[in-house]
Amino acid sequence: MSLYFSSHNIACLTKQDLRALMTELAAATEVKIRRSVASQLGGRMLVEAEAPDQKSLEAFFEKRRYNCEWVMPIDLDAQGGEISEY
């Protein structure tokens, strides 16, 4: 599976709505949501996901009618001084 980041507009969602959305994402089986972070003030949510390909991830968001601004494939990931390649 490939790794992706995506950005979503969450304007006007309450904290309760955001929790429900993030819970729904975490329970997904078509793709693996590694992490999601949101800022009500910024009106954005970022999602880190594993998916077979970008088209599958975009279809996943579209099926659920999540407002997806962009999807970015990840090639390199540096954490704790170690670099992983995807």
Side-chain angles (χ1 to χ4, degrees), residues 18-44:
L18 278 171
R19 284 182 188 271
L21 177 61
M22 293 168 109
T23 300
E24 183 179 334
L25 284 171
T29 56
E30 304 96 316
V31 300
K32 180 182 178 191
I33 304 300
R34 288 178 149 199
R35 182 176 177 197
S36 57
V37 294
S39 168
Q40 283 183 291
L41 184 61
R44 299 281 182 278

